[in-house]
């Protein structure tokens, strides 16, 4: 499965999700590749901060030819996760065309909900050329026990994309793990944050595998 994690708005947690989804898939013994398609290179920075053996391979490919090069770069891998760029560009279009499933993280704020319009349009354009392309929202960096956290799911119904039942709450442990190049499950194996990532991955696999 090739999962593209994209949203044209920065700061929605694309890299955090990408890294932890890749780590979750790698935990099962599968060969996983994380492609950092963001010119900022945050996933590469995460990999560089890690001490010890890597959980999975990480390569930088911030070029609008991802969909053309993927068959070579991704050869031999069971799953590929693409950490997309934070703007609607040819690079984002290429990442979408390379994906089987586009995961669109959205924070529970009106600005993020409005901004989702751009990436939804991009996915719709790509679907003309790639009929089997799947796409779904995931609520990320949710603030527990707030009205906006509950209402965002209803607001996203305005778009022609489903929303995963699983969601991820904003927690300090994600930043703590990232700072040392670890996945959240390594930092807190049985913690709630790890369980939330596992729920997202499980739902993705059930719906789109």
């Amino acid at each position: 499965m090739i999962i593209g994690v994209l949203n044209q708005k920065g700061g929605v947690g694309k890299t955090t999700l990408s890294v932890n989804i890749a780590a979750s898939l790698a935990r099962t013994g599968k060969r996983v590749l994380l492609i950092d398609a963001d010119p900022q290179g945050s996933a590469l920075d995460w990999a560089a901060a890690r001490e010890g053996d890597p959980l999975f391979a990480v390569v930088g490919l911030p070029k609008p030819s991802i969909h053309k090069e993927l068959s070579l770069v991704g050869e031999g891998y069971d799953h590929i996760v693409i950490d997309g760029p934070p703007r609607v560009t040819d690079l984002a279009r290429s990442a979408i065309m390379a994906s089987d499933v586009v995961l669109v993280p959205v924070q529970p704020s009106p600005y993020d909900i409005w901004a989702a319009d751009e990436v939804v349009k991009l996915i719709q354009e790509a679907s003309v050329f790639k009929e089997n392309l799947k796409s779904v929202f995931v609520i990320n960096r949710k603030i527990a026990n707030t009205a906006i956290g509950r209402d965002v799911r209803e607001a996203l119904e305005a778009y022609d994309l489903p929303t995963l039942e699983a969601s991820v709450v904003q927690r300090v442990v994600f930043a703590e793990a990232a700072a040392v190049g670890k996945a959240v499950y390594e930092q807190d194996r049985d913690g709630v944050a790890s369980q939330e990532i596992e729920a997202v991955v499980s739902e993705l696999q059930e719906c789109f595998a």
Side-chain angles (χ1 to χ4, degrees):
M1 182 163 59
I2 304 169
I3 304 169
V5 184
L6 288 115
N7 191 326
Q8 68 97 25
K9 189 176 184 299
V12 296
K14 290 189 298 293
T15 300
T16 298
L17 271 180
S18 298
V19 162
N20 284 287
I21 287 171
S24 174
L25 292 167
R27 283 180 80 179
T28 65
K30 299 294 186 181
R31 291 198 69 211
V32 178
L33 173 66
L34 174 59
I35 294 177
D36 191 341
D38 186 343
Q40 293 177 2
S42 297
L44 290 172
D45 290 341
W46 172 86
R50 183 179 180 83
E51 294 183 3
D53 295 334
L55 294 175
F56 48 82
V58 183
V59 299
L61 195 61
K63 301 192 296 183
S65 55
I66 300 169
H67 62 298
K68 297 177 181 177
E69 298 185 40
L70 198 62
S71 59
L72 293 175
V73 176
E75 187 175 3
Y77 290 96
D78 300 303
H79 299 292
I80 298 170
V81 180
I82 303 171
D83 182 15
R87 283 173 296 280
V88 172
T89 60
D90 289 342
L91 178 52
R93 289 183 176 89
S94 181
I96 290 172
M97 288 300 293
S99 303
D100 297 322
V101 182
V102 179
L103 183 65
V104 183
V106 178
Q107 291 185 120
S109 86
Y111 302 108
D112 285 70
I113 293 164
W114 298 329
D117 184 59
E118 294 292 332
V119 73
V120 169
K121 287 178 179 175
L122 209 58
I123 293 166
Q124 290 170 341
E125 289 172 12
S127 297
V128 174
F129 303 99
K130 192 169 183 176
E131 291 182 4
N132 296 325
L133 181 65
K134 308 279 197 315
S135 54
V136 64
F137 287 119
V138 60
I139 300 169
N140 193 40
R141 291 185 169 173
K142 181 179 174 182
I143 301 173
N145 304 317
T146 60
I148 187 66
R150 292 188 296 270
D151 294 346
V152 62
R153 190 177 299 276
E154 184 177 335
L156 289 172
E157 290 176 1
Y159 296 107
D160 190 24
L161 256 71
T163 302
L164 292 182
E165 288 298 323
S167 60
V168 180
V169 172
Q170 183 166 306
R171 302 181 192 279
V172 173
V173 68
F174 284 109
E176 292 174 341
V180 290
K182 288 186 177 182
V184 72
Y185 83 82
E186 295 178 290
Q187 197 80 353
D188 188 9
R189 183 171 293 273
D190 299 315
V192 180
S194 180
Q195 293 172 19
E196 288 170 351
I197 293 294
E198 292 299 319
V200 168
V201 172
S202 177
E203 192 173 348
L204 277 174
Q205 290 182 309
E206 288 174 11
C207 295
F208 302 117

